[in-house]
Amino acid sequence: MANHIINLFVSRAAKYIFCVVFLAAMVFRFLAWRGLQMAITIIGVILVLFLLVRVLPGDPARLLAGPEASQEDVEELRRLLGLDRPLHEQFAAYFLSVLSGDLGTSYRTGEPVIAEIMRRLPYTLALAVAAQSLAIAVAVPLGIVAALRPRSMAGYAASIFGVLGSSLPVFWTALLLIWAFSVELKVLPSGGAGTPAHMVLPTAVLALFLMGNLVRITRASLLEVLGANHVVTAHSKGLPWNKVLTRHVIRNALVPIVTLVGVQFGTLLGGAVITETVFGWPGIGRLVVESIFVRDYAVLQGTILIIALFFMLINFLVDIVQMFIDPRTRNV
Amino acid sequence: MTLLDVRGLTIHYDLPQGTVRAVEDATFTVDRGEVVAIIGESGSGKTTLAMAIAGLLRPPGRVVRGHIYFDGLDLSRLDDDKWREIRGRDITVVFQDPNTYLNPLMSVGRQVAEVFEAHGMGSIRSREVAERAIEILRRVRIQDPDKRYWSYPHELSGGMKQRVLIAMAIALKPKLLIADEPTSALDATIQAQILDLLEELRREMGMSLLLITHDLGVAARIAHRIIVMYAGQMVEVGRADEIMSDPLHPYTRALVRSVKLDRKRLLGVPSGAPPSLISPPPGCRFHPRCPYATEQCTTWRHTLYVRDNRRVACVLYA
């Protein structure tokens, strides 16, 4: 008898251990595969970036030395920056330093690129998180109500947001809000950063832009799921409407919404170039524009590399979230 | 003893193009433990009729006239809350396409467990509800039900998915199970298995079965009585064996003959589709395709004539 129980226990334990090991192996395989994919993508990004930046017209040494500098001084500068060496040597040197975590130094300020990015990143992050949260908080509920009650106030509001949000250019809404709240009402600053009040207008402008697509996708996705056959099954069980809605409609409608939010947030992390420029917001987007103007290759390459990394990270997170929502995406 | 009593049920769809008269004046009964098959081509109104009885008719569909009495209750006068209690407990539905009628994002076990939750027997997260769901999965002959409980629909075959849908429908021992083309999406061998399973469960549980199908062969296999519908109207009602051996209505005759000769097409009837239900032909709706049609048929008013055990809507039997 005792023997029998021990046997049972052993076989249970063995089963359990087998399950855990199996699961761990699956997760490991997934992470390894995704890691490999990302590594290959990064190498590609570094290469394309390096070449693209050098195709830009304009001579960084000349721009840096100024129009009055002599030709010898410009040549000297070029040699110092390493820009006189053949392209493949420059690339090899850059690639190796990137791998060791060094993104180079700014031609303009002589500071490490990474320091400059770190100084700008919090501003971009703050703006991105604020705008994306606001957009989700308004657009998703609005889209849901619009799908459920198309002839209600929310339905009409959703249509208006859907059209205006994505068709009004950002610079125009930005100017409109500056005129209204800074010039006329004098309640909010028109530009700069520092206090929370400075964030209000850029956040509003970006959120409005994001809301357009988000409202439309939410409504369309919900309408599609509402018409799906499995919703009829849910009703046929006698399930209360609120449970049909949360379990069988909204959850299923989430898949395309999460995908869109991922793309939007990834884009925002790359810096909202126009918004940041209009409002003088010292984020990543402005850094890219500034470094293009002075042909600061090192900063430009470094910043865009970081942006690309962020984008990949967001995509990865979106995939993980989708796996939680949709079991069909779990078999990789 | 009568369980379901449908009287003069008329259902319209109000579309911008006009009013679709999907079901007109449907009148029939289903006894306790009885298997009644409603057969007809697609567009004959049979699914609309079934959905109305299950309380699942969606706008623009609406009941214009008539009553549905179920177990002494007038279903056409029920409010939403009362309907919710009946759906899933007393009247359940097995739908035609197991691939789209299951939620792809929820494990099949939980989808079965939801039936218990919906009728106040505990949350789907509770152990007892899960165990009851597993028991039901075993009942519909799903292998390893405790493992399958956590499977998602995409991991199961069509036949298995149909078994899951049947599991939901029998979980609370309903009085009436409506099976809407339960085998049309499956291949022939699985079809027979599913039909046998339905018939076996019906006998065990003593429930009534309303089988909606376009396939007279399927109907003849398990039905006690058959109702033949054409273009939204009942054209013949009778015992299954009698209809199969001696069909009266010209449409039924064509159907029976094509089943006996194992043909897909209707025999002895000019080919063509059933008429538009927005502007149906005057008189008998079958007359444009009927080999026996006379002048009379264009002005005849739809009536079911009683003939022995049979009711038939054709002027030949007036």
Side-chain angles (χ1 to χ4, degrees):
Chain A
M1 185 65 196
N3 241 341
H4 183 73
I5 290 171
I6 289 169
N7 273 342
L8 194 74
F9 176 74
V10 169
S11 77
R12 283 254 169 98
K15 244 186 209 168
Y16 182 72
I17 290 169
F18 177 76
C19 275
V20 169
V21 168
F22 185 71
L23 205 71
M26 291 281 287
V27 171
F28 179 77
R29 204 179 65 129
F30 170 73
L31 288 180
W33 174 236
R34 285 301 296 254
L36 185 71
Q37 281 180 316
M38 285 210 240
I40 293 171
T41 314
I42 298 251
I43 294 173
V45 168
I46 295 175
L47 179 65
V48 169
L49 256 177
F50 179 86
L51 292 176
L52 217 57
V53 164
R54 270 145 189 88
V55 170
L56 280 179
D59 179 355
R62 168 54 75 187
L63 279 169
L64 204 59
E68 264 108 64
S70 69
Q71 192 59 35
E72 288 92 70
D73 288 345
V74 173
E75 288 307 325
E76 176 66 16
L77 198 56
R78 200 190 307 284
R79 204 178 51 73
L80 272 172
L81 294 173
L83 291 171
D84 58 334
R85 286 149 70 199
L87 219 50
H88 63 272
E89 274 181 35
Q90 286 186 42
F91 180 72
Y94 179 67
F95 190 72
L96 288 176
S97 66
V98 167
L99 283 191
S100 65
D102 176 13
L103 293 179
T105 49
S106 165
Y107 299 170
R108 189 171 47 142
T109 61
E111 261 196 281
V113 170
I114 201 79
E116 183 70 33
I117 292 175
M118 282 314 190
R119 201 163 35 245
R120 305 294 193 105
L121 203 55
Y123 290 97
T124 286
L125 270 178
L127 194 57
V129 170
Q132 190 71 63
S133 314
L134 180 62
I136 293 172
V138 177
V140 172
L142 198 62
I144 292 174
V145 179
L148 297 178
R149 306 207 186 290
R151 280 171 221 288
S152 66
M153 283 296 286
Y156 296 122
S159 307
I160 292 169
F161 269 115
V163 172
L164 290 190
S166 44
S167 55
L168 293 181
V170 166
F171 69 86
W172 191 79
T173 44
L175 291 178
L176 199 70
L177 290 186
I178 289 176
W179 170 77
F181 291 97
S182 310
V183 179
E184 293 296 322
L185 296 174
K186 297 190 173 51
V187 287
L188 290 167
S190 66
T195 68
H198 284 99
M199 259 184 79
V200 175
L201 288 184
T203 303
V205 167
L206 278 180
L208 184 70
F209 179 69
L210 300 175
M211 268 182 240
N213 283 327
L214 207 50
V215 160
R216 277 186 292 133
I217 289 279
T218 306
R219 186 175 56 175
S221 173
L222 219 77
L223 281 177
E224 198 187 312
V225 179
L226 276 171
N229 287 338
H230 75 260
V231 177
V232 181
T233 310
H235 281 301
S236 81
K237 294 177 196 174
L239 214 57
W241 171 233
N242 61 345
K243 281 192 178 139
V244 175
L245 195 63
T246 49
R247 277 189 203 152
H248 295 279
V249 178
I250 293 182
R251 190 183 140 106
N252 293 52
L254 233 44
V255 175
I257 299 172
V258 169
T259 305
L260 178 67
V261 166
V263 172
Q264 288 188 333
F265 195 61
T267 312
L268 282 183
L269 285 184
V273 175
I274 296 172
T275 312
E276 287 181 3
T277 305
V278 174
F279 289 101
W281 187 259
I284 291 283
R286 288 257 292 161
L287 184 60
V288 171
V289 175
E290 287 164 14
S291 52
I292 288 174
F293 283 151
V294 297
R295 302 294 182 276
D296 198 339
Y297 289 175
V299 174
L300 190 55
Q301 282 168 194
T303 315
I304 296 181
L305 185 61
I306 294 290
I307 292 173
L309 270 175
F310 268 126
F311 219 104
M312 273 188 271
L313 188 69
I314 299 288
N315 273 338
F316 178 67
L317 290 178
V318 166
D319 285 353
I320 300 274
V321 173
Q322 298 288 33
M323 282 181 176
F324 272 103
I325 302 176
D326 189 345
R328 288 168 296 184
T329 58
R330 282 175 210 165
N331 308 320
V332 227
Chain B
M1 222 173 84
T2 306
L3 176 71
L4 177 73
D5 184 355
V6 177
R7 284 190 212 158
L9 193 66
T10 300
I11 301 166
H12 288 178
Y13 289 91
D14 298 312
L15 299 183
Q17 305 92 293
T19 301
V20 180
R21 298 152 201 276
V23 176
E24 226 155 302
D25 201 24
T27 301
F28 63 94
T29 60
V30 177
D31 286 345
R32 283 176 202 276
E34 192 184 23
V35 182
V36 174
I38 300 182
I39 101 146
E41 294 161 283
S42 49
S44 62
K46 58 190 195 304
T47 295
T48 300
L49 182 58
M51 290 301 111
I53 294 168
L56 293 171
L57 197 63
R58 294 210 264 191
R62 68 189 169 92
V63 173
V64 183
R65 271 190 305 280
H67 293 273
I68 305 167
Y69 296 99
F70 174 80
D71 210 13
L73 232 64
D74 186 353
L75 295 185
S76 29
R77 289 173 195 282
L78 237 47
D79 60 30
D80 284 356
D81 283 343
K82 269 276 183 301
W83 251 128
R84 244 193 4 85
E85 281 176 28
I86 288 180
R87 269 201 303 259
R89 195 187 65 195
D90 297 327
I91 302 181
T92 59
V93 189
V94 172
F95 296 98
Q96 50 185 319
D97 181 1
N99 300 309
T100 62
Y101 280 91
L102 285 173
N103 185 345
L105 308 191
M106 196 189 245
S107 87
V108 294
R110 287 213 152 167
Q111 295 189 52
V112 175
E114 264 192 326
V115 179
F116 295 107
E117 192 195 66
H119 296 278
M121 296 173 198
S123 151
I124 49 169
R125 283 168 218 289
S126 80
R127 177 121 205 109
E128 303 87 79
V129 164
E131 270 162 14
R132 293 179 85 151
I134 289 169
E135 215 33 61
I136 293 295
L137 289 176
R138 180 169 296 132
R139 191 94 190 251
V140 295
R141 306 273 155 68
I142 287 179
Q143 303 280 315
D144 294 331
D146 38 356
K147 259 187 228 154
R148 286 283 90 97
Y149 183 92
W150 293 108
S151 295
Y152 289 94
H154 72 278
E155 294 164 338
L156 303 182
S157 68
M160 285 273 253
K161 280 184 263 193
Q162 193 58 285
R163 281 167 198 271
V164 172
L165 279 174
I166 292 174
M168 290 178 199
I170 60 153
L172 295 176
K173 294 201 166 82
K175 293 175 181 147
L176 173 67
L177 189 149
I178 300 171
D180 183 12
E181 303 271 9
T183 58
S184 310
L186 308 171
D187 35 320
T189 48
I190 313 283
Q191 273 192 14
Q193 287 176 18
I194 294 288
L195 278 181
D196 292 346
L197 177 68
L198 277 174
E199 171 59 13
E200 186 193 312
L201 290 167
R202 180 200 64 81
R203 228 177 299 135
E204 270 175 41
M205 301 188 161
M207 62 186 179
S208 309
L209 181 61
L210 187 61
L211 180 69
I212 313 293
T213 178
H214 68 277
D215 188 340
L216 192 59
V218 166
R221 194 180 167 114
I222 61 173
H224 303 138
R225 275 194 304 139
I226 289 179
I227 297 170
V228 183
M229 282 188 74
Y230 185 80
Q233 295 173 329
M234 293 166 60
V235 294
E236 187 164 354
V237 186
R239 277 173 46 184
D241 52 345
E242 291 180 1
I243 285 195
M244 291 307 285
S245 61
D246 178 27
L248 297 181
H249 195 282
Y251 175 65
T252 320
R253 282 189 208 172
L255 275 179
V256 170
R257 199 150 8 129
S258 47
V259 169
K260 288 194 172 153
L261 297 174
D262 204 18
R263 299 284 172 81
K264 285 269 175 276
R265 270 189 51 244
L266 283 182
L267 292 177
V269 164
S271 57
S276 144
L277 295 179
I278 293 181
S279 49
C284 172
R285 290 184 179 176
F286 188 58
H287 87 259
R289 291 170 77 188
C290 183
Y292 309 100
T294 60
E295 202 55 42
Q296 241 187 317
C297 297
T298 57
T299 53
W300 176 78
R301 278 199 57 194
H302 184 266
T303 324
L304 279 163
Y305 304 108
V306 179
R307 231 190 172 228
D308 303 327
N309 294 325
R310 213 83 69 86
R311 286 190 291 158
V312 58
C314 178
V315 74
L316 290 175
Y317 305 95

